[in-house]
């Protein structure tokens, strides 16, 4: 992965290491373990003193992590291209259905304009693999999204100009 991450509004060093196929399951340190390997080694994960994160591939089934989430400090979600939206769904499931409150990290070649949408889905950290993305974040070029055309999950966002009859009905309850 990368050596830096954008989190809490600033660029920070990343001290997490991705576990390689040939590596033994860790006993200490901070390790991001691929989803399949993590599920296969769930018992070892419960016994380790290492801090463990999961690496979910694009299209990976995050429900496989449900019983392990209490033991995870981080879930990294792969975005294999900026046009691949499967990671948004995975992030929303983690944040809303499974109430995962720790770090949800976007990994891959996403672009600056996607960060606001990723944040709405629960992603709160961004691996910085792209030098242009890093430069834009350093320069403060991150845009905010002020108008939404669709609400997201359990948030109380009301899309501007849509379904006004529902807004009135819900305010009268």
């Amino acid at each position: 992965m990368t050596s830096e991450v954008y989190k809490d509004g600033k660029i920070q060093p990343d001290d997490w290491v991705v576990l390689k196929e040939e590596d033994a399951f860790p006993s200490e340190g901070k390790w991001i373990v691929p989803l399949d390997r993590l599920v296969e080694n769930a018992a070892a994960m419960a016994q380790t003193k290492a801090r463990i994160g999961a690496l979910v591939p694009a299209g990976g089934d995050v429900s496989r992590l449900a019983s392990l989430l209490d033991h995870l400090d981080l879930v990294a979600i792969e975005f294999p291209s900026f046009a691949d939206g499967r990671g948004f769904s995975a992030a929303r499931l983690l944040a809303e259905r499974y109430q995962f409150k720790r770090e949800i990290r976007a990994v891959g070649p996403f672009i600056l304009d996607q960060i606001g949408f990723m944040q709405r889905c629960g992603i709160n950290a961004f691996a910085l693999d792209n030098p242009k993305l890093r430069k834009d974040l350093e320069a403060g070029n991150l845009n905010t999204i002020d108008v939404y055309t669709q609400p997201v999950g359990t948030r109380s966002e009301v899309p501007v100009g849509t379904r006004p009859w529902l807004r009135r009905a819900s305010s009268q309850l």
Side-chain angles (χ1 to χ4, degrees):
M1 271 196 219
T2 182
S3 60
E4 292 181 313
V5 64
Y6 180 74
K7 183 177 174 182
D8 299 326
K10 57 187 178 260
I11 296 171
Q12 305 174 15
D14 182 15
D15 52 357
W16 288 84
V17 179
V18 176
L19 189 69
K20 294 181 175 63
E21 194 65 38
E22 64 274 7
D23 292 339
F25 203 83
S27 59
E28 56 185 41
K30 292 180 172 181
W31 295 90
I32 299 175
V33 182
L35 177 64
D36 289 339
R37 184 143 184 221
L38 186 63
V39 171
E40 290 169 10
N41 292 285
M45 183 190 69
Q47 302 300 319
T48 187
K49 293 180 182 172
R51 292 182 61 196
I52 301 293
L55 178 60
V56 178
D61 183 2
V62 294
S63 69
R64 295 176 64 202
L65 291 174
S67 64
L68 306 174
L69 289 174
D70 289 341
H71 302 286
L72 297 177
D73 292 298
L74 172 151
V75 177
I77 301 171
E78 289 183 326
F79 287 80
S81 76
F82 75 90
D84 189 331
R86 294 175 290 177
F88 290 93
S89 299
R92 283 190 60 197
L93 286 169
L94 284 168
E96 295 172 12
R97 180 178 295 170
Y98 299 111
Q99 300 293 304
F100 186 71
K101 302 290 185 202
R102 289 176 223 97
E103 184 173 322
I104 302 174
R105 180 183 294 189
V107 179
F110 54 87
I111 59 176
L112 183 69
D113 291 342
Q114 290 176 300
I115 291 178
F117 296 107
M118 290 174 164
Q119 289 172 325
R120 289 182 69 223
C121 292
I123 297 171
N124 54 20
F126 305 87
L128 296 180
D129 295 331
N130 180 335
K132 182 182 181 331
L133 177 61
R134 186 189 193 290
K135 189 174 185 177
D136 282 339
L137 290 169
E138 277 183 319
N141 293 336
L142 184 61
N143 296 323
T144 59
I145 302 167
D146 299 321
V147 177
Y148 303 106
T149 58
Q150 296 177 346
V152 172
T154 59
R155 298 173 192 254
S156 60
E157 299 169 353
V158 176
V160 174
T162 60
R163 302 179 299 191
W165 61 92
L166 289 177
R167 283 197 301 255
R168 279 191 297 262
S170 65
S171 66
Q172 296 170 359
L173 297 176

